[in-house]
Amino acid sequence: MRIKFPEKIDNTLRYLKLKFLPKTLFFRTMLLIFIPLIVVQVVSIVAFFDGTWGRVGKRLSNNLTSDMSFVMQLIDKSPDKLQEIKKVTSDTLDMTVSVYLNKDKHRIINKVSRNNELVTGFLEKELNRTFPEYVTTIYMGKEGDRNLTVFVDTPKRLFKFETSSKNIFSTSIFGFVAWMIGTSLLLFLVAVMFLRIQVRSIAELAQVAEDFGKGIDNKDFKPYGSSEVRKAAIAFIKMKERIQRQISERTQMLAGVSHDLRTPLTRMKLQATMLPDPQEQKDLLSDIDEMEKMLDGYLSFVSGEGGEKATFVDMNELIMSVLNKFRNQNAMIRYKTNDQVSAIQGREQALKRALTNVIGNAFKYGKTVSVDLESNNRKMEIVVDDDGPGIPKDKREEVFKAFYRLDESRNKETGGVGLGLAIAKDVITSHGGTIELQDSPIGGLRVLISIPL
């Protein structure tokens, strides 16, 4: 069920979806995994900091400041036992204490070091709470047993405490964060590898389907991946086999029909030659020739060059070979190509027949014929222009139908049976391309053929 939003909000959501949402299945699925994973990690870490980390840090800082306060009180009450207090403090509290008179305090405090608020934040608050009337300073030194220094400046003397930062900082946070990040990365890598396998199977199935539409039969493809993908792939293979079997049966049937029809046509030709009236003989032979042409054209149309294997075809050379057939005709030929890709994977004879039909029509009805071959990384375009009578816009879809002819420009005397453009469209479509009829800039008809690479 889809939630209906106001039109303005719906348009905004659609724009954001097209602008920012990944286009591929792989990245969309990874987004569904990655975002919840990050949210869980952030919530867990924040909860740990606000809970366990905060309580432990406050308790450790409170214990340390309490020990400092206790040691300072002992020294104030018994300054003559300073050495004994230092020894007890070092052995019992894991902390060293030094006492300086006011005249030496500035020399001792002149040390520069950078504090880490993540470590000393709780301690600083506890020092301010425990010693509100004194000036307290915290310094973090390099790694070592006693890398934390705390100065407590009183009116009488300066106390210097040295201890380990472990007394105020729990290293469990690093282990916790490391485990969180490590498990997240492991889960992410497993998801990436799994999704790549699934997406690869779908991509290969799509490529095989596209190749089959272009007439390329990839027999090495085997279904794999999830059960749904395998089921779709098996269904596609069965569909492809049914289509190929249907085409093969149709071609064999038409070959038999052709053989059966040619025998009586040959007998009719022999009988026509024995007719006493020359005019009747000529008319009958003309009808028989037309029937043979229609039969040949129909067989070529329905067979679709199905038995030809796909190879790499140099379209530049193919077009040149087709144009050379019309060099002797009384027409001007213009051919232009580029230095980019001109080879495609297809059925050479079928493409040659299609281009011969299209270019032949241009020579038949025009005095100037222009052929352009353009290509890029995605598709190849062949443009055929002529200055002939052209085809009306309302008839440009009809001329692609089998046996359709325009009486004004094509008749039986020209030898056409209305299958030239139909065969050309069938061949181009079987290669995954399109063919369109447009107005030519030189006054006649333009045929635009586009074939994907």
Side-chain angles (χ1 to χ4, degrees):
M1 184 179 68
R2 181 182 177 185
I3 302 177
K4 293 184 177 179
F5 295 100
E7 184 177 358
K8 188 174 181 179
I9 298 178
D10 191 59
N11 292 335
T12 303
L13 293 176
R14 188 181 295 111
Y15 171 78
L16 294 175
K17 178 180 178 181
L18 295 174
K19 187 71 175 178
F20 299 105
L21 191 66
K23 302 298 187 298
T24 62
L25 175 63
F26 175 79
F27 286 105
R28 286 190 176 189
T29 308
M30 290 307 302
L31 196 64
L32 292 176
I33 297 175
F34 189 70
I35 289 180
L37 187 64
I38 292 298
V39 171
V40 170
Q41 302 298 325
V42 171
V43 171
S44 300
I45 293 176
V46 170
F48 180 81
F49 268 98
D50 289 342
T52 305
W53 170 253
R55 288 194 300 269
V56 171
K58 290 178 180 178
R59 184 170 300 173
L60 291 175
S61 298
N62 181 266
N63 293 337
L64 182 61
T65 54
S66 297
D67 292 342
M68 291 179 183
S69 178
F70 175 71
V71 172
M72 290 172 60
Q73 292 177 12
L74 287 178
I75 295 174
D76 287 339
K77 291 182 179 179
S78 306
D80 54 331
K81 298 181 179 180
L82 178 61
Q83 297 301 325
E84 296 179 5
I85 296 174
K86 286 184 179 183
K87 187 176 184 304
V88 173
T89 302
S90 178
D91 296 340
T92 307
L93 303 179
D94 189 24
M95 178 173 57
T96 61
V97 59
S98 302
V99 181
Y100 302 94
L101 299 177
N102 289 336
K103 63 179 181 177
D104 298 325
K105 66 172 59 176
H106 297 292
R107 176 177 57 84
I108 299 301
I109 295 179
N110 282 335
K111 295 181 180 180
V112 179
S113 179
R114 177 177 295 180
N115 292 337
N116 189 337
E117 293 184 358
L118 179 66
V119 178
T120 62
F122 295 120
L123 177 60
E124 186 174 353
K125 292 180 181 179
E126 287 297 325
L127 289 174
N128 293 332
R129 186 182 65 82
T130 306
F131 308 109
E133 299 178 355
Y134 303 152
V135 177
T136 58
T137 310
I138 304 173
Y139 292 103
M140 288 290 296
K142 297 181 179 181
E143 294 295 330
D145 295 336
R146 305 280 174 94
N147 60 340
L148 177 67
T149 302
V150 178
F151 289 101
V152 180
D153 189 6
T154 66
K156 296 181 179 181
R157 55 181 65 87
L158 173 68
F159 292 91
K160 177 183 177 182
F161 296 94
E162 293 178 312
T163 185
S164 174
S165 60
K166 296 179 181 179
N167 292 329
I168 63 168
F169 177 74
S170 176
T171 56
S172 61
I173 180 63
F174 297 121
F176 175 77
V177 173
W179 275 105
M180 294 286 287
I181 296 176
T183 53
S184 300
L185 290 176
L186 180 61
L187 177 61
F188 185 76
L189 292 176
V190 172
V192 168
M193 291 187 292
F194 176 77
L195 285 175
R196 280 192 178 278
I197 296 175
Q198 300 303 317
V199 173
R200 189 187 302 122
S201 62
I202 298 174
E204 288 189 12
L205 175 59
Q207 185 62 45
V208 171
E210 184 179 357
D211 291 341
F212 180 68
K214 297 178 181 179
I216 304 172
D217 187 10
N218 189 353
K219 297 182 180 180
D220 297 331
F221 173 72
K222 294 182 180 180
Y224 70 97
S226 63
S227 58
E228 293 82 3
V229 177
R230 289 199 302 270
K231 186 175 181 181
I234 292 172
F236 167 76
I237 292 175
K238 291 181 178 179
M239 179 193 68
K240 183 182 73 172
E241 291 175 350
R242 287 195 296 268
I243 293 175
Q244 290 176 333
R245 184 169 58 251
Q246 181 182 7
I247 294 174
S248 177
E249 291 174 353
R250 184 185 68 173
T251 304
Q252 293 177 0
M253 180 189 67
L254 291 172
V257 171
S258 173
H259 180 270
D260 295 339
L261 288 178
R262 290 185 188 281
T263 301
L265 286 175
T266 302
R267 289 199 301 264
M268 291 173 64
K269 276 187 177 182
L270 293 175
Q271 293 174 1
T273 57
M274 300 174 62
L275 291 176
D277 189 347
Q279 185 61 38
E280 292 182 359
Q281 183 184 43
K282 181 179 179 181
D283 293 339
L284 183 56
L285 288 174
S286 176
D287 290 338
I288 294 174
D289 289 338
E290 184 181 354
M291 290 176 63
E292 288 182 337
K293 291 180 180 179
M294 293 180 65
L295 179 62
D296 292 338
Y298 182 69
L299 290 175
S300 299
F301 173 69
V302 295
S303 64
E305 308 289 348
E308 185 182 2
K309 294 183 179 180
T311 59
F312 280 99
V313 182
D314 191 328
M315 295 301 295
N316 185 34
E317 295 183 359
L318 184 64
I319 293 174
M320 290 296 297
S321 65
V322 173
L323 291 176
N324 288 334
K325 295 181 180 180
F326 303 97
R327 291 291 182 184
N328 295 329
Q329 296 195 16
N330 187 20
M332 181 182 295
I333 303 175
R334 299 174 183 171
Y335 177 56
K336 183 178 69 173
T337 184
N338 57 20
D339 297 332
Q340 297 182 8
V341 180
S342 64
I344 63 172
Q345 192 171 12
R347 303 187 301 279
E348 183 175 3
Q349 295 302 318
L351 289 170
K352 188 173 184 179
R353 182 183 182 91
L355 291 178
T356 300
N357 291 345
V358 173
I359 296 176
N361 283 342
F363 278 101
K364 189 180 298 183
Y365 303 110
K367 297 298 181 181
T368 301
V369 177
S370 175
V371 181
D372 292 345
L373 175 63
E374 298 290 339
S375 62
N376 52 38
N377 294 329
R378 295 182 300 172
K379 64 180 179 179
M380 176 179 293
E381 289 187 349
I382 303 171
V383 182
V384 181
D385 291 315
D386 65 64
D387 59 350
I391 297 177
K393 292 184 179 180
D394 58 341
K395 302 293 184 182
R396 290 178 181 174
E397 292 295 330
E398 301 292 332
V399 295
F400 288 112
K401 295 180 180 180
F403 301 106
Y404 184 87
R405 293 179 297 185
L406 293 175
D407 295 336
E408 294 83 2
S409 58
R410 297 170 175 82
N411 51 53
K412 295 179 181 180
E413 294 180 358
T414 63
V417 293
L419 287 173
L421 289 177
I423 293 174
K425 183 175 182 179
D426 182 66
V427 172
I428 299 302
T429 303
S430 68
H431 285 78
T434 59
I435 179 170
E436 300 178 11
L437 302 182
Q438 303 174 357
D439 293 329
S440 173
I442 61 176
L445 182 68
R446 163 171 285 188
V447 182
L448 176 60
I449 299 174
S450 177
I451 303 176
L453 296 178

